[in-house]
Amino acid sequence: MCREAYFGHQIVELVENGSHNITKKVNIALVEICPIRETLESFQEVILDVELDCERLKVDLLLTKQCLNDALRAFLMRIFFCRSSKLDFSCLRERSLGICGGYVKHTQGSSLYGEIRQETVIKIDQIRFHPELRARKPLGGIDSVRVQLEEALTERRSVLLTGPSGTGKYSLVKLIAVEQNLPLFEIRGLHFVRSLPGETEAELRKMFLRLQLFDELMDEEKPIILLVKDVDTICPKVEGKKSEEYANVARIASQFVALVDQYKESSKNLIIIGTTSNIESMDNRLRRPGRLDKEIAFGMPSKQQRIEILRSFHNTARSMTDGDLNEIAQRTAGYVGAELELLYYNLAREMHKKRTSFLETLTEVQKKHRPASLRSATGLVGTDASLSMDSFAGMDTLKSLLRLCVVEQLANPARFTRLGIHPLKGILLYGPPGCAKTTLAKCLAAESGMTFLSLSPAEVYSPYVGDAEKLITRVFNEARTNAPAVVFLDEIDSLVGNRGSAGMKGGSSAVNMGVLSTLLMEMDGIGQAEQVAGMLSEDAKRVVVIAATNRPDMVDDALLRPGRLTKMIHIPAPDARARLAILKKLGEKIPFAEDVNLEELADNTERYSGADLQNLCTQAALNAATEDLDAKIVTMSHLQLALADVRPSLTKEQIEWYHSYESDKRR
């Protein structure tokens, strides 16, 4: 048979009229197309690599590899090709039977080009199950989890992957399946559940039948992965469900468990991998040996893991330095991999668009992209990264002590562990009101890069029994999730009280007792559930409790023992030197005139707290504005006028009482 054929790498359009104007600028390439004048004969043998799409594969028609060969023969009839040709069957759509394409590895025949006839022998060398050519999603910070999953696949063990959403459970399974060329079938949680009774069970039976037929088609010792995404929606706990809903949920869960047992016995190649971000709501029947018996937890990434995750994005889009990546990791406690990816690329885009500094852009982007673990957090969540211990004046000795006990231990833990020093777990700040106890806790958390969670008695107490204890537990779980973190308990004397004081029996004091016992358990680290503990990062133990009170004598002694609120720090009323430093700090924002004598003002403000001094300067500025709306400076006369109106909030007896209490504690 003699046939004329043409071979070319690009398709070009020839313009007959040379004067034809081309108005649109396009890239035009001239390609020489040479006719093939030699005789095209059929190949004697063809060896192919075949690409299959597991999701669309018609296993009910392709029962054996001979059926697969016959389908390939039907597709390639009347088509000529040569060795190293890439075959694409996507144009056949549903008629492709799930065969996406192939690659001609070897041909045997008298000519370079040829075609397939009935007598041609077709052999399949390799079968590829992931034909998509998309770039693989970069993954980092999960090396230990990846090793565990690969070991489970080698041992043919079914696995349950647990962890918060966005930590890379699905992406890791997909990546390993692509790298090892393993067939992957998927059941996608709620997308798989049908509305009418019995439909979901029928779909489950169809899926497991597909797996059985596919195993017979492959007829080789190759693992087959069934990935059940959000397995807790397919097989949830049935406790607490309504009667109608209970019957439906229980039927679906029982059908799934029965199919798992049946096909685990009949097929040694089937590996079921379930993923869930809420393991507590999953039916415990799936977690027994023989089903999903190996559990692998994806925890919240630690700082080092966050650096590795950011570095995996950095390898694909180099727009930041290693120092920048370290700064991002320091300020993103509580972020999972998906949130870090969104933050990184938005940060790179904003830096390129606005041409602003890295730290300014990072602060602005973080305000828009907070971690999911803090979006519904209980109490006040501090996010101001611009604060530091130098944001307020005075208390230099105290600042040095806190930097050593908290900031330095967090930044360089090895220096302290080699001396047998354990990280500080709790601090009690006590002193007169208005002396910066709350501000000190916020600045300490910001300077050390810790998440700041604040609670007050008004937020804790509820008219319902048990709600206060649940809220305490929730706050500590949020702190462990976003560790390193500071839990700030304001007015702790009102929150828990003292069991040795009168009036602690019965009534509302019984609620105080429950809150106190819950708080003691959480501070000791024994209040967390085992399921929650498996999802935490290596930094989860770095939770510092800072409590503040105006009545240290009303705090229960059990809270003050070593290992809980270990350090008791007196925040005294500012002396003349501290008041001068505070006034100078306030002068950075309020324009004082040259005639303002801050030393004289500091001497005249005895018994004024830091809050009183700020109120004094604000009142002086208001006096200046009242006198002249166009005023640009605050004079000494404005301050003296304000001094007559703003009186000190502290008394001499108050100040002496706190000094006396401090002296008694040192004895």
Side-chain angles (χ1 to χ4, degrees), residues 1 3 40-48 50 68-82 87 89 103-104 106-109 111-124:
M1 179 184 67
R3 183 184 304 168
L40 296 178
E41 298 182 354
S42 61
F43 290 123
Q44 298 173 7
E45 183 182 85
V46 175
I47 300 178
L48 303 170
V50 181
L68 185 59
N69 282 1
D70 293 341
L72 289 171
R73 187 187 305 277
F75 294 160
L76 296 175
M77 291 286 282
R78 301 179 178 276
I79 298 176
F80 76 94
F81 53 87
C82 65
L87 307 175
F89 302 135
Y103 175 75
V104 183
H106 178 72
T107 59
Q108 183 178 345
S111 63
L112 177 62
Y113 301 97
E115 60 182 353
I116 286 181
R117 303 298 296 272
Q118 288 296 336
E119 62 272 11
T120 304
V121 178
I122 298 177
K123 293 183 179 179
I124 299 175

Side-chain angles (χ1 to χ4, degrees), residues 137-158:
K137 189 174 183 179
L139 296 176
I142 53 175
D143 295 337
S144 61
V145 175
R146 175 170 182 161
V147 171
Q148 295 180 58
L149 182 55
E150 289 177 342
E151 288 177 355
L153 293 178
T154 304
E155 298 169 359
R156 299 288 202 275
R157 295 181 65 183
S158 293

Side-chain angles (χ1 to χ4, degrees), residues 470-537:
K470 287 180 182 178
L471 190 140
I472 293 286
T473 302
R474 190 188 316 144
V475 169
F476 273 86
N477 283 337
E478 288 166 358
R480 295 184 190 104
T481 301
N482 297 279
V486 167
V487 177
F488 180 65
L489 304 175
D490 202 5
E491 301 176 17
I492 192 170
D493 54 299
S494 301
L495 185 65
V496 293
N498 190 332
R499 287 175 291 187
S501 302
M504 286 293 287
K505 297 180 180 179
S508 61
S509 298
V511 180
N512 287 32
M513 296 283 285
V515 172
L516 176 60
S517 61
T518 304
L519 182 60
L520 294 176
M521 283 187 6
E522 293 294 341
M523 290 181 69
D524 291 337
I526 60 176
Q528 57 184 336
E530 182 183 353
Q531 293 88 346
V532 176
M535 300 182 186
L536 300 177
S537 70

Side-chain angles (χ1 to χ4, degrees), residues 224-479:
I224 302 170
I225 299 176
L226 172 62
L227 177 60
V228 187
K229 195 173 181 182
D230 297 326
V231 67
D232 54 291
T233 59
I234 298 289
C235 197
K237 283 185 178 177
V238 294
E239 291 87 352
K241 303 286 184 183
K242 296 181 181 178
S243 57
E244 216 177 291
E245 188 182 4
Y246 172 86
N248 194 30
V249 170
R251 191 170 54 249
I252 294 173
S254 298
Q255 178 69 85
F256 183 75
V257 170
L259 289 170
V260 169
D261 291 340
Q262 177 184 345
Y263 284 92
K264 283 287 288 182
E265 293 178 2
S266 61
S267 175
K268 302 300 181 183
N269 297 325
L270 178 61
I271 299 175
I272 301 174
I273 300 179
T275 69
T276 178
S277 55
N278 189 8
I279 192 172
E280 294 179 355
S281 64
M282 194 182 81
D283 195 331
N284 288 326
R285 289 181 295 172
L286 270 180
R287 301 175 64 184
R288 75 158 178 77
R291 291 169 185 162
L292 305 183
D293 50 357
K294 184 175 178 61
E295 296 185 8
I296 302 176
F298 284 66
M300 298 293 293
S302 62
K303 179 184 175 182
Q304 184 58 40
Q305 289 172 325
R306 292 196 295 273
I307 292 176
E308 294 174 8
I309 293 170
L310 291 167
R311 198 166 282 145
S312 67
F313 307 140
H314 184 61
N315 291 335
T316 59
R318 295 184 177 274
S319 56
M320 300 175 201
T321 64
D322 288 342
D324 294 340
L325 298 182
N326 189 70
E327 180 66 23
I328 296 173
Q330 177 71 24
R331 294 169 59 170
T332 50
Y335 284 70
V336 295
E339 293 165 340
L340 286 171
E341 181 181 18
L342 179 64
L343 179 74
Y344 179 88
Y345 288 117
N346 281 336
L347 178 60
R349 185 175 63 251
E350 290 294 321
M351 287 176 61
H352 178 74
K353 183 170 66 175
K354 295 184 178 179
R355 304 291 180 183
T356 54
S357 68
F358 168 75
L359 291 178
E360 289 179 8
T361 312
L362 177 58
T363 302
E364 290 300 317
V365 172
Q366 270 197 287
K367 290 179 182 177
K368 301 176 184 176
H369 302 288
R370 296 179 63 193
S373 56
L374 286 180
R375 287 176 195 163
S376 58
T378 307
L380 172 67
V381 180
T383 56
D384 192 354
S386 63
L387 292 175
S388 71
M389 298 285 282
D390 298 324
S391 298
F392 62 96
M395 296 186 283
D396 295 332
T397 305
L398 176 60
K399 289 178 184 177
S400 301
L401 175 63
L402 289 176
R403 280 184 171 130
L404 177 66
C405 294
V406 178
V407 180
E408 191 62 29
Q409 283 195 23
L410 185 66
N412 302 295
R415 295 180 182 178
F416 296 86
T417 52
R418 65 169 172 252
L419 295 175
I421 300 175
H422 298 288
L424 190 64
K425 288 187 176 181
I427 301 172
L428 176 65
L429 305 177
Y430 68 93
C435 293
K437 296 185 289 296
T438 304
T439 305
L440 179 63
K442 283 185 181 179
C443 293
L444 178 63
E447 182 169 314
S448 58
M450 304 172 80
T451 306
F452 183 78
L453 299 171
S454 175
L455 267 185
S456 66
E459 295 166 323
V460 171
Y461 286 114
S462 165
Y464 302 103
V465 177
D467 274 8
E469 292 85 343
K470 287 180 182 178
L471 190 140
I472 293 286
T473 302
R474 190 188 316 144
V475 169
F476 273 86
N477 283 337
E478 288 166 358

Side-chain angles (χ1 to χ4, degrees), residues 123-186:
K123 293 183 179 179
I124 299 175
D125 185 27
Q126 292 184 0
I127 298 178
R128 299 192 181 118
F129 301 102
H130 305 279
E132 62 270 13
L133 300 178
R134 296 183 304 218
R136 295 176 186 171
K137 189 174 183 179
L139 296 176
I142 53 175
D143 295 337
S144 61
V145 175
R146 175 170 182 161
V147 171
Q148 295 180 58
L149 182 55
E150 289 177 342
E151 288 177 355
L153 293 178
T154 304
E155 298 169 359
R156 299 288 202 275
R157 295 181 65 183
S158 293
V159 182
L160 177 63
L161 304 180
T162 67
S165 298
T167 48
K169 301 183 291 294
Y170 174 80
S171 299
L172 179 60
V173 175
K174 184 76 173 176
L175 180 65
I176 292 177
V178 171
E179 288 182 350
Q180 299 186 11
N181 192 34
L182 300 177
L184 178 65
F185 294 82
E186 296 181 28

